[in-house]
Amino acid sequence: MLKLPKIINKTLSIRLSLMVVCEIALLLLASLVVMFHFSSQALRQEAMFNAEQTLEGTVQHIDNILLSMEQSAGNVYWDMLNHLDEPERMYTYSRELVKCNPYIVGCAIVFKPYYYKDRELFMAYVHRKGNSVMTDEDSELITSETFSSKPYTEQVWYTEPMKTGHTYWTDPLKNENTEDEALTTFCLPIYDKGECVGVLAVDLSIGLLSQIVLDVKPSPHGYSILLGRNGSFIVHPDPEKLSHETVFTQTERGADPSVREAAEAMVAGETGSKSFRMNNSEWYVFYKPFLRTEVPGRSMENLKWSVGVIYPEDDIFGNYNRLPYYVLGIAIFGLLLFFFLCRWVTHRRLQPLLLLSDSAKRIAAGHYDEKVPDTNRGDEVGLLQDHFRRMQQSLEAHVTELKQLTDTLQERGKVLRDAYNRAQEANRMKTSFLHHMTNQMIAPSAAIKESVAHLCDNYHDVSLQEADHEVEVIQQQSKAIIDLVNTLIHTAESENRKEADDE
């Protein structure tokens, strides 16, 4: 059986304080378990809500950028339809589009081969000089008749609208399909007399879009992503991924399989959330399809893009995961503080018991006159102190009385011892006196015996004179014995009278 330390076992205030603290600790532990259970649920719900709000805000932010480009292109488009026979004016339209919209980094107006009979291919392309992420609205504009190393008739931003006749947002154009940076392009087919004869294309820099979107951080270490229909990154904080990678190339390089599961769910257009491991850390992605806002006159084809926000676990549950340590530290500090406070209070409240204990020790050691102070407390301890004080007073009175009785008995014992000694002495004296008297009777008795024997043995031969002499001897000796007997009787009567007087 576990033995308590001496100080705990001997100190009532510590034991009481420990009992109270242990009970409070159990109640606190149960409360914390319940609190953490419900707070975890509430935190997850809040995380989901915040993620949904962030997702919705990210979608709106990106869609506003896309819509502004679509509207700018549409405004120029309707004016351009009235001047299709003026090829040089197409450069002006391209330049104005790039100048008037800070999100447009390049604009190309192209027509099908020999639309202008003196030109096989016609391309009015104006773009900002340098990398669009490093430039601003006042950057120099460059006019060109080519885009990338391939003829525009072989590029998707031209072929797709020409084939379908519908507006089209391309997936990210990278590597050989662009010149200096990854782009996504809004393509607007140009109609002349009911026939699709060309394409108005405005470019949005993926790097610039990422910078704009990522400036609004969903959390200290979280970020937003936007995936194209083929898994290409349209928004991502890593420029390398914008320029070269898709979300699936990470799994090919040995990334955790959970990354691919999350990527496939996003590309499939699902809505939800998943956890995955990346860089030896736990992450969460919340995703939904990228749906554009319906605006009158806007083409609402499904882009099949997916937007997501990614949080490290610590951003979502970091405070919650640290909360138990904070609460535990506060609880331990509070319990210790409560223990010392309880110890101080109980020690003060039990102080009379300590005084009573000390008084009891002194009384047990024989100090029966130990004074117990009065108290005005009406509780159990006060009653105990009052009863103990009365007990001590009663004990002191009894001890005093007993001491007095003992002194009396001792005095009487002394008197008795003296009387006994005197009686013993008297007995010895009586014995000596009797022996003395008896010894004195021996000679007369012997003389009487001798005279009587002489008379008895010689009564025939004894003369009268001799007989008278023997008789006289007998009388004298008898008188001597009688005198001794009278003396004994007189002495006995004197002793009896003396004893009667003493009593």
Side-chain angles (χ1 to χ4, degrees), residues 267-402:
V267 173
E270 298 177 7
T271 299
S273 64
K274 285 187 179 296
S275 63
F276 63 94
R277 289 196 63 80
M278 183 173 65
N279 300 329
N280 297 321
S281 300
E282 194 74 19
W283 295 72
Y284 288 85
V285 58
F286 300 85
Y287 50 86
K288 64 182 289 186
F290 179 80
L291 301 178
R292 296 181 294 166
T293 305
E294 291 189 16
V295 176
R298 187 182 193 185
S299 176
M300 294 302 298
E301 71 276 1
N302 187 0
L303 301 182
K304 296 183 179 180
W305 292 355
S306 180
V307 64
V309 288
I310 297 177
Y311 300 92
E313 183 184 31
D314 195 56
D315 279 14
I316 303 177
F317 303 109
N319 290 332
Y320 174 76
N321 292 336
R322 288 187 289 271
L323 182 62
Y325 299 102
Y326 296 148
V327 173
L328 182 62
I330 294 172
I332 291 175
F333 176 76
L335 288 174
L336 288 175
L337 182 63
F338 182 79
F339 169 76
F340 287 113
L341 180 62
C342 187
R343 165 79 171 83
W344 179 75
V345 171
T346 54
H347 180 75
R348 284 183 60 85
R349 301 301 294 177
L350 296 177
Q351 190 69 31
L353 291 181
L354 297 177
L355 296 176
L356 293 179
S357 176
D358 293 338
S359 297
K361 287 181 181 179
R362 292 182 59 81
I363 292 173
H367 302 281
Y368 301 106
D369 57 346
E370 179 72 21
K371 297 299 181 183
V372 179
D374 292 336
T375 179
N376 56 1
R377 294 175 55 165
D379 56 7
E380 292 81 355
V381 177
L383 292 175
L384 176 62
Q385 185 175 354
D386 184 61
H387 293 328
F388 190 86
R389 182 178 60 81
R390 292 182 182 180
M391 182 194 72
Q392 183 272 332
Q393 292 174 349
S394 177
L395 181 62
E396 183 182 9
H398 284 299
V399 169
T400 302
E401 184 179 351
L402 182 61

Side-chain angles (χ1 to χ4, degrees), residues 22-42:
C22 288
E23 291 177 0
I24 292 178
L26 290 176
L27 292 175
L28 182 62
L29 179 62
S31 302
L32 289 178
V33 170
V34 174
M35 183 190 73
F36 286 134
H37 173 71
F38 288 103
S39 63
S40 176
Q41 293 181 344

Side-chain angles (χ1 to χ4, degrees), residues 117-182:
K117 296 182 180 180
D118 57 338
R119 301 184 184 183
E120 178 181 0
L121 299 177
F122 177 84
M123 180 178 195
Y125 176 48
V126 177
H127 63 91
R128 299 184 190 278
K129 183 178 180 180
N131 189 301
S132 57
V133 178
M134 307 299 294
T135 58
D136 53 29
E137 299 178 20
D138 299 325
S139 58
E140 182 182 352
L141 302 181
I142 306 299
T143 301
S144 176
E145 294 184 355
T146 61
F147 178 75
S148 79
S149 59
K150 294 190 299 185
Y152 65 79
T153 53
E154 299 177 11
Q155 299 184 42
V156 65
W157 57 269
Y158 172 81
T159 59
E160 191 65 25
M162 291 295 290
K163 180 173 67 175
T164 62
H166 299 297
T167 58
Y168 179 73
W169 274 99
T170 67
D171 276 334
L173 304 176
K174 303 177 181 180
N175 304 326
E176 71 277 359
N177 295 320
T178 63
E179 292 183 340
D180 297 322
E181 59 183 323

